[in-house]
């Protein structure tokens, strides 16, 4: 007799999709399993019948995702890894606030490298019970994508599109189609309420192999510095010199330019020399950078700053945190930063 399909695991962490009005504004709320059941019952019967079976768990304290930290990313990856070991679920759906969803999703992709089941992260711009909410549609789509066995990576499903986790950014504060993937095409989309995948774009095709999870203890102190015209060496030094700071993401200009200021470049070179991991990407969201194309950017390479090419800031910063948490030599960290681990570059 055929075995019934394994259920999906849905992990509710908070975010607008589960919020309820409170005296101080929308606030994270619990009892999401029951509330979701009620909402799903409002779908047309054929769409209800097409939904894969799932079990839902809630994290201990649902949060507004603006409260998430690297410790949150680590706890979430460990929770998924534990359930993955038990092999009782065909896929995972993570329900998450949209504000820092792209950060958590990118971090999960590094921690769960080579995952052989779908991990689909979604959220909503409006609460589940609000009029014209996008929550139910986004959850339905995430469930449908997470039930696709050929799909094996961490991705974000939002407004009918499936995007690679390490390529995703929140792009809108109000529109329901709030996420974008500036430098990589969608991995799939919902057409007539059905999931359509583009397998040649997926990691399952590109990086076959056994899961090789890396679940280090996240402790690294990484800063993010956006350059502006007139930025001075002392301002960069104030960010980089504290001994606790182990790495920095620099958001430079255009195709990889920074001020040709020997004092400023000296601060960067000193930080690199002390073993701090520095990487640069562009303030332009589309296209990558090539450090050294212009003379004005050459100094960055000489100061030991790594090229983050066309990575998103979310993917670059979470990768620095991930690499700094592991027992690697400086050279190994630098090499791994330049090597795609989860399709991030
Ligand atoms: N502040 C909310 C959060 O990120 C926003 C949302 O979910 O859309 O949790």
């Amino acid at each position: 007799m055929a075995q019934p399909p394994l259920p999906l695991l849905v992990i509710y962490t908070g975010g607008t999709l589960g919020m309820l009005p409170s005296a101080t504004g929308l606030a994270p709320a619990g009892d999401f399993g029951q509330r979701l059941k009620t909402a799903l019952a409002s779908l047309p019967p054929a769409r209800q019948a097409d939904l894969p079976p799932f079990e839902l768990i809630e994290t201990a304290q649902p949060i507004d995702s603006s409260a998430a930290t690297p410790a949150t990313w680590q706890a979430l990856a460990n929770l998924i890894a534990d359930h993955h070991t038990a092999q009782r679920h065909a896929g995972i759906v993570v329900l998450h606030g949209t504000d820092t969803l792209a950060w958590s999703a990118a971090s999960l992709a590094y921690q769960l490298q080579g995952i052989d089941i779908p991990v689909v992260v979604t959220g909503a711009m409006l609460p589940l019970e609000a009029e014209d909410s996008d929550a139910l549609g986004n959850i339905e789509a995430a469930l449908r994508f997470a039930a696709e066995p050929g799909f094996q990576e961490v991705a974000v499903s939002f407004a009918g599109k499936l995007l690679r986790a390490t390529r995703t950014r929140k792009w809108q504060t109000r529109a329901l189609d709030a996420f974008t993937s500036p430098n990589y095409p969608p991995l799939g989309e919902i057409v007539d309420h059905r999931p359509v995948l583009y397998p040649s774009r997926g990691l399952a095709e590109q990086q076959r192999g056994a899961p090789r999870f890396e679940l280090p203890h996240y402790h690294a102190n990484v800063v993010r510095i956006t350059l502006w015209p007139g930025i001075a060496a002392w301002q960069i030094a104030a960010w980089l010199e504290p001994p606790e700071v182990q790495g920095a993401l620099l958001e430079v200009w255009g195709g990889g330019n920074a001020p040709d200021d020997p004092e400023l470049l000296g601060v960067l070179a000193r930080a690199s020399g002390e073993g701090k991991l520095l990487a640069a990407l562009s303030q332009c969201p589309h296209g990558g950078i090539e450090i050294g194309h212009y003379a004005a950017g050459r100094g960055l390479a000489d100061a030991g700053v790594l090229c983050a090419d066309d990575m998103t800031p979310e993917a670059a910063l979470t990768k620095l945190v991930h690499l700094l948490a592991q027992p690697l030599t400086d050279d190994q960290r630098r090499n791994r930063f330049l090597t795609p681990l989860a399709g991030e570059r």
Side-chain angles (χ1 to χ4, degrees):
M1 218 168 63
Q3 293 290 320
L6 288 176
L8 306 178
L9 178 68
V10 179
I11 304 174
Y12 167 69
T13 70
T16 295
L17 91 168
M19 289 192 186
L20 291 173
S22 79
T24 51
L26 285 176
D31 194 23
F32 195 74
Q34 191 49 47
R35 292 163 57 204
L36 179 59
K37 224 175 176 178
T38 308
L40 287 171
S42 70
L43 287 175
R47 274 163 62 191
Q48 286 185 47
D50 277 346
L51 284 175
F54 67 88
E55 296 165 2
L56 185 141
I57 57 173
E58 300 190 2
T59 49
Q61 179 74 52
I63 57 168
D64 183 307
S65 77
S66 51
T69 66
T72 317
W73 309 335
Q74 186 188 332
L76 193 51
N78 278 285
L79 184 63
I80 295 173
D82 287 348
H83 284 278
H84 179 268
T85 308
Q87 296 193 331
R88 287 199 312 103
H89 298 100
I92 311 274
V93 171
V94 178
L95 305 178
H96 196 290
T98 62
D99 285 341
T100 66
L101 186 151
W103 301 80
S104 297
S107 177
L108 286 178
Y110 297 128
Q111 296 180 82
L112 303 173
Q113 282 170 60
I115 187 130
D116 52 3
I117 57 172
V119 177
V120 181
V121 188
T122 195
M125 299 300 280
L126 295 169
L128 183 66
E129 288 90 355
E131 207 179 326
D132 297 327
S133 173
D134 55 336
L136 189 57
N138 283 351
I139 295 171
E140 181 189 7
L143 291 168
R144 297 297 302 270
F145 282 127
E148 289 288 314
F151 180 67
Q152 300 175 355
E153 65 178 274
V154 185
V156 172
S157 169
F158 215 90
K161 284 181 296 197
L162 187 69
L163 308 173
R164 172 158 300 154
T166 52
R167 295 290 193 155
T168 300
R169 306 201 69 190
K170 185 172 180 185
W171 209 238
Q172 304 278 349
T173 59
R174 296 209 169 86
L176 300 186
D177 189 1
F179 285 80
T180 188
S181 169
N183 293 316
Y184 198 77
L187 305 175
E189 58 189 315
I190 296 288
V191 179
D192 292 335
H193 302 290
R194 284 176 205 288
V196 176
L197 293 177
Y198 306 118
S200 62
R201 299 176 184 167
L203 283 183
E205 288 288 316
Q206 296 164 14
Q207 299 190 356
R208 280 209 182 279
R212 43 193 184 282
F213 293 177
E214 292 174 0
L215 300 162
H217 174 59
Y218 278 175
H219 57 76
N221 213 330
V222 176
V223 298
R224 176 177 179 187
I225 308 170
T226 304
L227 302 191
W228 66 90
I231 188 169
W234 68 268
Q235 288 164 316
I236 299 233
W239 279 108
L240 290 185
E241 281 178 358
E244 304 78 34
V245 173
Q246 294 170 278
L249 178 64
L250 306 171
E251 295 187 30
V252 303
W253 291 306
N257 292 309
D260 190 13
D261 167 355
E263 218 189 318
L264 186 152
L265 294 169
V267 172
L268 297 177
R270 216 166 32 248
S272 285
E274 287 167 2
K276 299 186 181 192
L277 197 58
L278 309 184
L281 48 69
S282 180
Q283 291 175 26
C284 305
H286 291 270
I289 67 168
E290 202 184 317
I291 295 178
H293 182 64
Y294 288 97
R298 182 71 235 161
L300 288 173
D302 294 341
V305 177
L306 296 166
C307 177
D309 196 3
D310 64 350
M311 294 170 77
T312 63
E314 294 84 348
L317 193 138
T318 54
K319 189 171 185 180
L320 293 174
V321 170
H322 185 73
L323 295 177
L324 284 163
Q326 297 182 69
L328 301 168
T329 64
D330 284 355
D331 277 351
Q332 286 170 329
R333 280 201 185 100
R334 295 174 66 82
N335 280 336
R336 292 197 78 204
F337 187 83
L338 298 171
T339 309
L341 303 181
E344 71 278 11
R345 58 184 298 157

